[in-house]
Amino acid sequence: MCGIVGIVSHQPVNQELYEALTVLQHRGQDAAGIVTYEGGRFYLRKDKGLVRDVFQPEHMQHLRGTMGIGHVRYPTAGCTSSAEAQPFYVNSPYGIALGHNGNLTNAELLKQELFLQDQRHINTDSDSEILLNVFAHELQRLGKLRLDVSDVFDAVAEVHRRCRGAYAVTAMITGFGVLGFRDPYGIRPAVIGHRDSPQGPEYIIASESVALDVLGFKRLRDISPGEAVFIEKNGRLHSRQCAEHALHAPCIFEFVYFARPDSVIDGISVYQSRLRMGEKLAEKILRLRPDHDIDVVIPIPDTSRTAALELANRLGVKYREGFIKNRYIGRTFIMPGQQLRQKSVRRKLNPIDVEFQGKNVLLVDDSIVRGTTSKQIIQMARDAGARKVYFASASPPVRYPYVYGIDMPATSELIAHGRNEEEIQRFLGADWLIYQDLDDLVEAVRRCNPAIERFETSCFSGEYVTGDITPEYLERLSLCRRGPKKDDPPAEAANTDNLDLHNSL
Ligand SMILES: O=P(O)(O)OC[C@H]1O[C@H](OP(=O)(O)OP(=O)(O)O)[C@H](O)[C@@H]1O
Ligand SMILES: NC(=O)CC[C@H](N)C(=O)O
Ligand SMILES: [Mg+2]
C-alpha cells in the first residue's frame, strides 16, 4: 500500500505535505517524495527511506510553493530502488507529477501500447510510471496549448478506459492545479478536505482522513469511485464522474490492517469496524466453545489491539498487554524480503512473562498472511510459560494472491494456501486456531455504511472485483515478484539510476 497526498493552499505547503506523509507512513516505509510548484518550476525531493530520513532541512527549504503532492511507497511492482520512488514526473505535455496508490493489472499491455502507439518511453518497472504516461498521452492528444478543467477530466476518462486494476492518484500540472481520482471500483481510498483561510479556500486530497485531522482540514467527502476532483492553484474546486460504469467495492483489507484506526474511509470508521471484528470473533468463540477456558486475551501489537480489546470485553475475560513493541521498528508485513520480515518479529516484540506463566492465553492478530508473525509469537508465548496458546485472527484465512496494491502475489507464500484450518493450526503450533468468517468480517465493516454493497475481498474469497484476473496473470505475477528483483539492488546502483526530474537539492 502507498500513501498519497496533494495540497492547494495560499501558504507554503512543504511542511504540511511532510506532516501529512508522516501520518501516512504506516502505508509505505520504503520511499518517500514531495513535489511542489512555484513560478513555472517543479521542485522535487524523493528517495528511499522513511519520511524523517528522506527530508532534511535543506531539502525542505527548496520545496517552494503553495501547491504540491507527496507519496510514501510500499512497492507492489518493480523494485525498491530510488528510481521508483514517487512522485513520478513527465515533462510533456505541460509538466506533470503523479503519485499512485494501487496496482495496474494490465501494466504489461499498457507498456507495449505506450511504446508502439503512443511513442513514450518507460524507464522503470513501476506501473505508476505507466499510469502517469497514459494520463500524459491522453492530455497531449487534445493538442491544446492552454488547458481547461474539462480537458483534464476527459483525460481521466481515457485513463479509466485504458487502465485496469486499482489506483488512487494525486497529480499536479504545472501552473494549473492538483488533481485527484480513484479507479471505477474505488478500491483504494482517497478523501478530500477543506479549510478556510483569509486568502480563500484551501484543499487537501489524501489516502486517509487522519492527514486532514492533523492539518486542520475538515473532511468534505471521499472521492467517489471513478470520480476526479481538480483544485486550481487559486483554490477553485471542480469535480466530475469520469467513469462510464462505477461500482463501489473498497478493499476490505484497509479496514483489517492497512489504515490507521483513527481514519474514516468511505464513511466507515476504521476503529469502529475493528471493534466489531472483535465482537464478531467473540461471538464465534462462544458459539464454538461456550465453556472455553481462556484466562487472558493478549493482542499482537499494534494493529490487532482494537479488535482484541472488544473481543475480551465480549468474552468477559481480562485483556492484557503481553507483548511490548519496539516503537522504533516499522511494520514487518510491509518490509521487503522475507528474511528481513522474519528477523524483525523477534526484535520488534518482547513478551512480559508474568502475563503468560501458567495461563491459557488467547493471542489475537488482525490477520495471518505469511504466518511470519504468528508462528514466532506462539513459540514466544510458550517460552514465556503459557499453559495453552490459542490464536485468533480477526480476518479469515488469506488464501489468494492480492493484485490491487498489497504485496502478496505468490500463493506459495501464503500460509493458508492449500491448507485447511487444522493443518494451519498444526503448522503454527497453536492449541486452537480461530478465524473470523468472511460474512462476519464484511458485516463488521459494512455496518457503519450499509450503502456500500460490495467489498473487494479477493485475498479471502478468490473473487477479483475487476473481473480480469486470470490464472495465467497470477502465475506471471508470482514469478516476477518472487525473483531477485524484489530485494534491493546494491546501494551504489540504487543511487545512480534515477533518470527522473532531478532532485531540487
Ligand atoms: O502473517 P504475517 O505475514 O506475519 O502478516 C500478518 C502480520 O503482519 C502485520 O503486522 P505488522 O508488524 O506489519 O504491523 P502492526 O504493527 O501494525 O501490527 C499484521 O498486523 C499481522 O500482525
Ligand atoms: N502499494 C502501492 O500502492 C504501490 C504503488 C505502485 N504499484 C508501486 O509499486 O510503486
Ligand atoms: Mg501486526
Side-chain angles (χ1 to χ4, degrees):
M1 207 61 41
C2 297
I4 54 167
V5 61
I7 301 180
V8 176
S9 169
H10 298 285
Q11 302 298 324
V13 281
N14 52 357
Q15 194 60 36
E16 293 205 315
L17 286 168
Y18 177 93
E19 277 157 26
L21 292 184
T22 61
V23 292
L24 296 174
Q25 186 80 82
H26 60 284
R27 301 182 67 83
Q29 302 169 164
D30 285 7
I34 290 178
V35 177
T36 58
Y37 171 83
E38 187 180 75
R41 280 192 62 183
F42 276 153
Y43 295 88
L44 166 77
R45 169 66 189 165
K46 64 175 185 176
D47 204 353
K48 288 167 64 149
L50 296 172
V51 175
R52 62 163 186 249
D53 301 323
V54 169
F55 302 98
Q56 299 308 319
E58 61 270 27
H59 303 126
M60 296 301 291
Q61 279 166 18
H62 276 75
L63 292 169
R64 298 188 205 126
T66 56
M67 68 174 184
I69 61 173
H71 190 267
V72 281
R73 180 171 190 236
Y74 157 55
T76 56
C79 61
T80 56
S81 125
S82 64
E84 295 184 9
Q86 300 194 35
F88 275 99
Y89 163 75
V90 278
N91 72 343
S92 177
Y94 316 107
I96 309 170
L98 178 142
H100 164 219
N101 171 207
N103 194 52
L104 298 185
T105 53
N106 63 340
E108 276 173 41
L109 175 74
L110 289 169
K111 193 170 181 175
Q112 279 178 19
E113 283 181 11
L114 283 168
F115 179 67
L116 295 173
Q117 297 167 24
D118 306 342
Q119 288 151 23
R120 283 182 169 263
H121 170 69
I122 301 296
N123 203 56
T124 69
D125 290 325
S126 164
D127 58 326
S128 310
E129 191 188 3
I130 293 174
L131 179 65
L132 168 59
N133 276 273
V134 171
F135 175 64
H137 177 76
E138 296 304 330
L139 265 187
Q140 189 144 38
R141 258 175 8 124
L142 301 172
K144 285 187 156 182
L145 188 60
R146 286 186 73 81
L147 273 182
D148 58 49
V149 177
S150 68
D151 300 326
V152 177
F153 291 153
D154 288 348
V156 174
E158 291 305 310
V159 168
H160 290 331
R161 205 180 47 74
R162 293 180 67 179
C163 296
R164 296 284 167 275
Y167 43 95
V169 168
T170 53
M172 181 164 57
I173 304 175
T174 53
F176 197 21
V178 167
L179 169 71
F181 58 92
R182 256 174 120 180
D183 67 71
Y185 294 93
I187 297 173
R188 302 265 67 91
V191 62
I192 174 155
H194 165 268
R195 180 173 75 183
D196 279 323
S197 84
Q199 292 91 351
E202 301 180 325
Y203 290 95
I204 184 171
I205 296 164
S207 296
E208 291 185 33
S209 61
V210 62
L212 284 52
D213 300 342
V214 299
L215 297 176
F217 285 90
K218 280 260 163 316
R219 182 174 165 273
L220 273 181
R221 61 188 175 83
D222 297 273
I223 298 180
S224 301
E227 187 192 24
V229 300
F230 189 80
I231 306 140
E232 289 185 65
K233 73 173 191 302
N234 61 10
R236 276 186 58 192
L237 174 73
H238 308 260
S239 65
R240 195 218 274 177
Q241 174 53 261
C242 298
E244 277 170 29
H245 307 286
L247 183 146
H248 202 178
C251 169
I252 205 149
F253 214 71
E254 290 280 349
F255 299 94
V256 170
Y257 168 69
F258 263 103
R260 266 178 56 147
D262 45 346
S263 284
V264 175
I265 294 180
D266 289 321
I268 299 171
S269 149
V270 175
Y271 176 76
Q272 277 183 337
S273 75
R274 287 185 189 159
L275 287 179
R276 293 204 173 112
M277 289 175 210
E279 196 180 301
K280 293 274 181 197
L281 203 49
E283 282 163 15
K284 180 167 179 182
I285 289 173
L286 291 172
R287 234 174 19 245
L288 292 176
R289 292 197 187 170
D291 50 356
H292 68 79
D293 57 358
I294 301 165
D295 296 318
V296 60
V297 170
I298 294 179
I300 315 296
D302 262 330
T303 302
S304 70
R305 279 201 173 118
T306 318
L309 178 66
E310 193 56 12
L311 187 155
N313 284 342
R314 286 287 161 140
L315 289 183
V317 168
K318 273 185 292 188
Y319 169 90
R320 285 284 197 263
E321 298 275 354
F323 291 102
I324 298 305
K325 179 178 165 177
N326 178 350
R327 68 177 70 183
Y328 302 102
I329 293 192
R331 297 182 112 183
T332 40
F333 176 72
I334 62 173
M335 284 175 179
Q338 181 62 3
Q339 255 189 343
L340 184 60
R341 285 191 288 262
Q342 209 121 31
K343 272 198 210 144
S344 297
V345 174
R346 189 60 188 89
R347 291 181 191 159
K348 176 167 127 175
L349 296 165
N350 199 36
I352 296 183
D353 290 1
V354 66
E355 292 298 354
F356 294 88
Q357 279 155 6
K359 293 182 186 162
N360 300 332
V361 298
L362 174 65
L363 307 182
V364 181
D365 211 343
D366 51 87
S367 56
I368 305 172
V369 182
R370 299 179 179 92
T372 318
T373 311
S374 35
K375 197 171 165 61
Q376 293 192 48
I377 286 284
I378 289 167
Q379 190 53 49
M380 277 158 69
R382 290 202 193 284
D383 295 344
R387 191 156 38 156
K388 285 188 188 154
V389 183
Y390 305 139
F391 201 96
S393 163
S395 58
V398 175
R399 292 215 154 93
Y400 305 91
Y402 194 86
V403 299
Y404 302 120
I406 305 175
D407 194 23
M408 38 188 193
T411 40
S412 55
E413 288 182 3
L414 305 173
I415 211 70
H417 184 80
R419 290 192 175 94
N420 63 30
E421 291 187 20
E422 224 181 279
E423 289 165 333
I424 306 169
Q425 178 179 315
R426 220 172 311 127
F427 183 87
L428 296 178
D431 295 306
W432 185 28
L433 175 64
I434 314 106
Y435 276 111
Q436 183 92 270
D437 293 332
L438 183 55
D439 288 348
D440 284 345
L441 172 63
V442 171
E443 167 64 23
V445 179
R446 195 170 167 242
R447 214 188 300 168
C448 282
N449 185 358
I452 299 179
E453 286 173 11
R454 187 166 178 187
F455 285 88
E456 206 310 299
T457 61
S458 55
C459 60
F460 305 121
S461 63
E463 289 163 21
Y464 295 88
V465 73
T466 54
D468 60 337
I469 305 304
T470 61
E472 295 73 41
Y473 172 80
L474 292 176
E475 180 58 27
R476 273 203 315 280
L477 183 72
S478 110
L479 286 176
C480 81
R481 296 300 291 162
R482 250 188 287 146
K485 256 184 175 175
K486 175 79 179 67
D487 292 316
D488 288 352
E492 326 77 75
N495 285 330
T496 53
D497 57 0
N498 192 346
L499 258 192
D500 209 325
L501 175 72
H502 206 277
N503 273 328
S504 309
L505 194 73

